[in-house]
Amino acid sequence: MTNPEKRNSKPDRGSISIDEEECKGCGLCVEACPTDVLHLSEHINHYGYPSATYMGAGCTGCGICFLACPEPGAITVLRLARRPSGTVIAEHMGELAS
Amino acid sequence: MSDDLEMQYEVARSRPEAFYERFDRKDELQHQTHYCPGCGHGIIHKMVAQAIDELGIQNRTILISPVGCSVFAYYYFDVGNVQAAHGRAPAVATAVKRSRSQSIVISYQGDGDLSAIGSAEILHAANRGENISVIFVNNAIYSMTGGQVAPTTLLGQRSTTTPEGRSAEREGYPLRVSELLGALEAPVYIERVGIGDNKQIAQAYRAVRKAIENQVRGLGFSLVEILSTCPTIWKMSPVESQRWVHDVMEKTFPLGLIRERTKDAQPHETPAPAPADLRKVLGIADQARIVPHQVAKSATNLQVRVAGFGGQGVLLLGEILAEAGLNAGLEVSWLPSYGPEMRSGTSNCHVRISSEPIDSPLVTRPDVLVAMNEPSLHKFYESVPPGGWVLYNRDAMPGECKRTDLNVLARPFTQIAKDLGDARTGNMIMLGALIECTGAVPWQSVDAALRQMIKSEKWLELDRRALARGRELMREPVEEAVHEG
Ligand SMILES: Cc1ncc(C[n+]2csc(CCOP(=O)(O)OP(=O)(O)O)c2C)c(N)n1
Ligand code: SF4
Ligand code: SF4
Ligand code: SF4
């Protein structure tokens, strides 16, 4: 299990999907993401906003972008299931903040 | 191996179930809120919805929405919803919680709503220790109406009504509501949080959840004040707004726990008194609710206006009539309308008795006008439709009341009452006449109403005699309308 090759190929702990049409381009998630893996795209959505986009790698699944986003379903956060499911975000956020 | 791991991505956070799937507020993009981009209300809605999901209380939650930008909260939350008048959410929440103690009642309010027009409601709800959860969204301004000063506006902060910035001399100091409520004995949990950065957002979520959970545990009054953002009125970007909460607002409104007594609080309920107990309290527990005759239901639709001087028994007449209608199993309404005077000035009441549900308690076209004095007669005379009845407390109608399309019984009822034993039973004589001419309620129901409302034996006897006298007067042949002068 300590094989360094394997460790390098470890997948990200998290991933997110963004509903482009729900996003209002406020940029709060971009600001919130501790690992800087979000940005506002060039693409303008139906509403005329540049929607948030995931760069495709580096997400830790921390979930802070979900809480920082004002739209109900614009962001969905995925995590690797090895984590005990049902971890309360707030607790996790506490760890993160400290 | 890595394929296996790929398979293990699971949804950790997604659109809370406590939101409706589609919001009917708009015709298109029905999954978006109506809030401006980056608005704190959206973030806080999400916290509330997420907490409802996590606590598993969606099917027993009732959200009281305020007036302000979040007036439409009921379009978003798939829970029970009541939209309250400006500032009144805690009063409405009190009523809802007391009548449905198993419901989880969340009062959601802005700072204009809660700390200006609603300052009395929040103070007393907190002081009573209502077992409700208040989410207080403080963005330091009236946003919905375009940015007027709020009690919470910071010193120096510009608004449309403080164009040079708020000054303590002119507009007073920013109101620290949480500290104010923290001076009360009853609240179990008050905390001020913010959405100024990730750490604050995480703490805000914990606090929102805790305020609601306290209620689930029956602990008592909980309030979370959330320093929120309004990018539009503040004229800042959403990110700048967040920083402003963190760098500026927080200095006036320090974050932290203001009250934490959840450890010592005992779970309790404050249920509404059961109707059975109410009858005991009113001293009518022994009286069986008498339902003598169900009247021919389809026929009944009586509208009465009773008017006179305060002290003539105008309101009591109406009440007994309405109570009699209730006893007969009919729908009733009784609406008093009077000035501040107890014993002078005019008063009047509207009574409706109907076999159908009553849409409005207002009576503008009375089938029967009971006028206990001349000013009252003049005031309502023209409102009686043709074929209606006027019972007037003099032996003749004034000369100018010349309508020939009305039935009139003009008698000196007060004088007749005096001769019977007490001038104050004039109202009951008129009631007797009214019941006789309309036949809207059976006499047994009237007598039962009298027994429910009149506690003294002596008065009961006097009133019974008066009612009977009114009936006789009405049975005497109806004369042509007599006019004075
Ligand atoms: C009785 C009454 N008075 C005044 C108003 C006008 N009014 C509507 S919203 C509002 C202020 C709302 O401010 P706040 O509670 O801070 O909510 P926000 O819009 O900032 O979220 C006022 C004064 C009203 N609707 N009803
Ligand atoms: S879950 Fe955390 S790491 Fe992933 S995008 Fe959101 S904020 Fe960034
Ligand atoms: S926070 Fe939400 S609405 Fe704002 S840019 Fe990110 S995804 Fe879009
Ligand atoms: S005006 Fe301010 S409080 Fe109202 S929706 Fe817009 S950003 Fe939110």
Side-chain angles (χ1 to χ4, degrees):
Chain A
M1 288 314 273
T2 48
N3 183 338
E5 236 187 276
K6 272 214 168 135
R7 213 183 307 146
N8 286 343
S9 69
K10 236 181 168 180
D12 291 326
R13 278 187 287 153
S15 174
I16 69 163
S17 76
I18 294 172
D19 178 344
E20 265 195 28
E21 293 306 322
E22 180 164 348
C23 170
K24 287 179 184 164
C26 70
L28 289 174
C29 56
V30 177
E31 177 75 9
C33 177
T35 49
D36 266 337
V37 295
L38 301 175
H39 69 140
L40 290 182
S41 85
E42 306 285 300
H43 174 72
I44 301 293
N45 72 8
H46 177 96
Y47 234 28
Y49 297 125
S51 54
T53 323
Y54 174 42
M55 291 168 180
C59 172
T60 62
C62 71
I64 190 63
C65 56
F66 172 82
L67 267 191
C69 170
E71 288 305 315
I75 296 182
T76 304
V77 179
L78 308 167
R79 279 190 206 135
L80 266 189
R82 261 191 310 180
R83 300 185 62 83
S85 62
T87 310
V88 177
I89 311 183
E91 276 168 20
H92 186 59
M93 285 315 306
E95 283 163 31
L96 199 133
S98 53
Chain B
M1 179 81 190
S2 66
D3 274 0
D4 282 346
L5 288 173
E6 280 285 325
M7 297 297 290
Q8 288 182 33
Y9 277 112
E10 275 185 1
V11 173
R13 292 296 161 215
S14 60
R15 199 175 198 281
E17 306 234 320
F19 286 128
Y20 286 115
E21 229 162 273
R22 307 238 138 252
F23 309 138
D24 290 339
R25 169 80 197 124
K26 291 182 294 196
D27 291 336
E28 56 154 28
L29 288 174
Q30 292 186 325
H31 50 320
Q32 285 189 347
T33 64
H34 72 287
Y35 297 114
C36 310
C39 173
H41 279 301
I43 297 173
I44 295 163
H45 278 24
K46 200 139 159 207
M47 293 181 182
V48 173
Q50 182 73 21
I52 292 172
D53 277 13
E54 283 183 15
L55 294 167
I57 53 170
Q58 183 179 8
N59 58 6
R60 61 185 181 119
T61 295
I62 299 178
L63 182 79
I64 317 294
S65 40
V67 168
C69 281
S70 51
V71 63
F72 294 132
Y74 55 83
Y75 274 107
Y76 303 125
F77 290 89
D78 186 3
V79 298
N81 285 284
V82 181
Q83 202 281 312
H86 204 10
R88 274 49 170 179
V92 174
T94 298
V96 172
K97 184 68 187 182
R98 289 206 182 190
S99 46
R100 302 178 57 92
S101 59
Q102 293 313 303
S103 296
I104 302 304
V105 184
I106 303 172
S107 179
Y108 186 107
Q109 301 184 262
D111 51 309
D113 189 83
L114 181 143
S115 75
I117 192 168
S119 52
E121 281 73 14
I122 191 63
L123 184 69
H124 294 289
N127 193 42
R128 292 190 303 269
E130 297 298 339
N131 188 20
I132 58 175
S133 312
V134 180
I135 308 298
F136 170 29
V137 180
N138 180 359
N139 58 18
I141 200 93
Y142 288 8
S143 299
M144 185 208 198
T145 44
Q148 295 80 4
V149 70
T152 43
T153 298
L154 306 190
L155 289 180
Q157 187 183 341
R158 286 171 201 268
S159 72
T160 58
T161 44
T162 55
E164 296 162 12
R166 179 179 189 162
S167 96
E169 292 72 34
R170 270 196 315 261
E171 289 89 27
Y173 291 89
L175 198 64
R176 296 194 183 100
V177 174
S178 291
E179 283 82 350
L180 209 66
L181 299 181
L184 303 173
E185 227 18 77
V188 296
Y189 174 64
I190 299 174
E191 181 165 358
R192 185 183 288 118
V193 294
I195 54 169
D197 60 24
N198 286 353
K199 192 174 169 188
Q200 288 188 5
I201 289 176
Q203 181 57 23
Y205 176 66
R206 260 184 236 128
V208 165
R209 195 190 135 122
K210 178 166 175 155
I212 300 173
E213 195 174 9
N214 288 344
Q215 185 184 161
V216 174
R217 295 168 59 203
L219 299 184
F221 184 88
S222 299
L223 177 143
V224 189
E225 173 176 349
I226 306 170
L227 303 186
S228 182
T229 55
C230 173
T232 302
I233 300 289
W234 293 359
K235 300 191 176 68
M236 298 177 198
S237 76
V239 172
E240 283 164 2
S241 305
Q242 253 191 357
R243 296 203 179 117
W244 198 72
V245 167
H246 186 277
D247 299 341
V248 181
M249 254 181 118
E250 211 192 309
K251 293 203 171 73
T252 300
F253 298 111
L255 304 191
L257 265 176
I258 288 155
R259 169 63 55 86
E260 167 54 297
R261 289 190 185 161
T262 53
K263 302 235 161 37
D264 312 324
Q266 293 300 319
H268 65 278
E269 261 185 36
T270 316
D277 297 342
L278 268 183
R279 292 177 69 80
K280 211 186 276 169
V281 171
L282 294 173
I284 54 171
D286 305 334
Q287 293 168 6
R289 212 144 179 87
I290 304 163
V291 186
H293 288 301
Q294 297 282 333
V295 233
K297 285 211 161 192
S298 56
T300 314
N301 181 14
L302 177 68
Q303 309 206 12
V304 177
R305 196 78 181 253
V306 190
F309 284 131
Q312 281 187 314
V314 165
L315 303 186
L316 182 65
L317 190 167
E319 255 185 300
I320 292 181
L321 177 60
E323 193 72 29
L326 265 188
N327 287 339
L330 294 163
E331 303 280 339
V332 306
S333 67
W334 171 78
L335 182 72
S337 154
Y338 45 82
E341 304 89 347
M342 290 297 283
R343 286 283 174 244
S344 59
T346 56
S347 71
N348 72 81
C349 68
H350 312 233
V351 180
R352 293 192 60 180
I353 298 185
S354 175
S355 31
E356 300 297 319
I358 292 168
D359 50 3
S360 159
L362 287 177
V363 173
T364 47
R365 302 282 285 157
D367 305 313
V368 183
L369 169 65
V370 178
M372 301 188 90
N373 60 24
E374 194 170 331
S376 303
L377 178 71
H378 287 309
K379 191 164 175 193
F380 299 112
Y381 185 67
E382 290 304 331
S383 69
V384 183
W389 271 94
V390 175
L391 308 185
Y392 179 48
N393 189 16
R394 288 285 289 275
D395 50 8
M397 295 289 274
E400 58 279 19
C401 295
K402 291 192 199 312
R403 285 176 62 179
T404 53
D405 56 351
L406 298 177
N407 301 299
V408 172
L409 183 70
R411 293 282 185 275
F413 292 101
T414 305
Q415 185 58 43
I416 298 170
K418 200 170 167 197
D419 298 343
L420 263 185
D422 196 305
R424 284 171 291 178
T425 58
N427 61 341
M428 290 299 125
I429 304 185
M430 296 184 92
L431 176 61
L434 183 154
I435 286 160
E436 181 63 18
C437 75
T438 62
V441 285
W443 285 98
Q444 293 97 313
S445 311
V446 182
D447 197 66
L450 211 58
R451 276 183 283 132
Q452 281 155 3
M453 308 205 45
I454 310 293
K455 293 290 143 52
S456 127
E457 278 303 316
K458 178 190 144 214
W459 276 99
L460 192 57
E461 214 27 62
L462 280 169
D463 285 342
R464 279 188 174 136
R465 246 192 288 160
L467 278 171
R469 187 79 185 92
R471 168 154 68 168
E472 280 166 33
L473 287 172
M474 184 52 80
R475 280 179 179 176
E476 287 167 7
V478 179
E479 73 278 25
E480 288 293 301
V482 182
H483 292 117
E484 271 179 345

